[in-house]
Amino acid sequence: MGSHIFSDSSSSFLRLKNRDELAAWLGTTDRKLRYLLYRLSPDDRYTTFNIKKRNGGDRKIEAPRAYLKRIQRRINDAIVEVAPPTGIAKGFVKDRSILDHAKLHRGRRWVVVADLADFFPSINFGRVLGAFQSRPFQFPKGVAVCLAQLCCHNGALPQGAPTSPAISNL
């Protein structure tokens, strides 16, 4: 973390010690957070639909419903501030694009382009949990578990959640 000065929100995010503090930071109660995590079915937390890909196939989108999306946006803002993407990361990064990536390879004889199939869903709950327990976050297990549960759907990062790009860039 070095000498970076964080916003009050991100500083308080890094100090979370239990689920009750997490709920308060998210602007809800522990009871409502437990309801969201443990009582609502996955279908009540996400809506699933397909969109057409350029190549003609379908991309499955698992979009959080409004109340979960609001929570994920708050988490995402803290992740991006606390652990900004490295200079090499171009995907899902503000003010960076595929053109920035292409410029790195200008003049090369060969360039290989690859698209990772099901990239977000390939990042499983255990990896997300591990990220929240590692630097720079180092959350206690209970907080890390709740954050991973809030950011994952069916055991993996969903294509369509606001937190998936920032977590994948970790």
Side-chain angles (χ1 to χ4, degrees), residues 41 107 110-111 168:
S41 72
W110 298 98
V111 176
S168 73

Side-chain angles (χ1 to χ4, degrees), residues 54-71:
R54 283 185 219 167
N55 69 5
D58 286 336
R59 180 181 313 280
K60 181 180 175 184
I61 302 296
E62 296 172 313
R65 298 202 186 261
Y67 44 88
L68 180 56
K69 185 181 281 188
R70 179 186 57 77
I71 285 171

Side-chain angles (χ1 to χ4, degrees), residues 12 34 39 46 53 61 63 70 72 93 112 124 137 156:
S12 59
R34 283 185 287 124
R39 299 287 291 176
Y46 287 84
K53 294 165 104 177
I61 302 296
R70 179 186 57 77
Q72 289 178 345
V93 178
V112 176
N124 66 34
F137 306 108

Side-chain angles (χ1 to χ4, degrees), residues 6-7 35 39 53 56 58 77 90-92 109-110 113 127 139 164 169:
F6 297 117
S7 68
Y35 181 81
R39 299 287 291 176
K53 294 165 104 177
D58 286 336
D77 291 347
K90 305 292 185 248
F92 319 112
R109 182 175 172 157
W110 298 98
V113 178
R127 290 182 70 194
F139 287 117
S164 294
N169 276 334

Side-chain angles (χ1 to χ4, degrees), residues 81-152:
E81 184 174 349
V82 171
T86 64
I88 195 70
K90 305 292 185 248
F92 319 112
V93 178
K94 184 179 175 163
D95 298 326
R96 296 186 201 165
S97 73
I98 193 167
L99 292 176
D100 296 312
H101 180 71
K103 287 176 188 173
L104 298 173
H105 305 288
R106 188 176 26 216
R108 303 284 185 208
R109 182 175 172 157
W110 298 98
V111 176
V112 176
V113 178
D115 182 17
L116 300 176
D118 301 320
F119 174 63
F120 290 137
S122 75
I123 302 171
N124 66 34
F125 178 87
R127 290 182 70 194
V128 176
L129 175 62
F132 284 127
Q133 289 181 296
S134 301
R135 287 180 181 251
F137 306 108
Q138 297 181 299
F139 287 117
K141 187 170 184 177
V143 173
V145 166
C146 287
L147 286 168
Q149 288 171 320
L150 289 166
C151 296
C152 289

Side-chain angles (χ1 to χ4, degrees), residues 36-37 39-48 62-65 67-68 152-154:
L36 173 64
L37 292 173
R39 299 287 291 176
L40 283 181
S41 72
D43 290 340
D44 289 330
R45 290 190 298 257
Y46 287 84
T47 183
T48 302
E62 296 172 313
R65 298 202 186 261
Y67 44 88
L68 180 56
C152 289
H153 177 59
N154 293 328

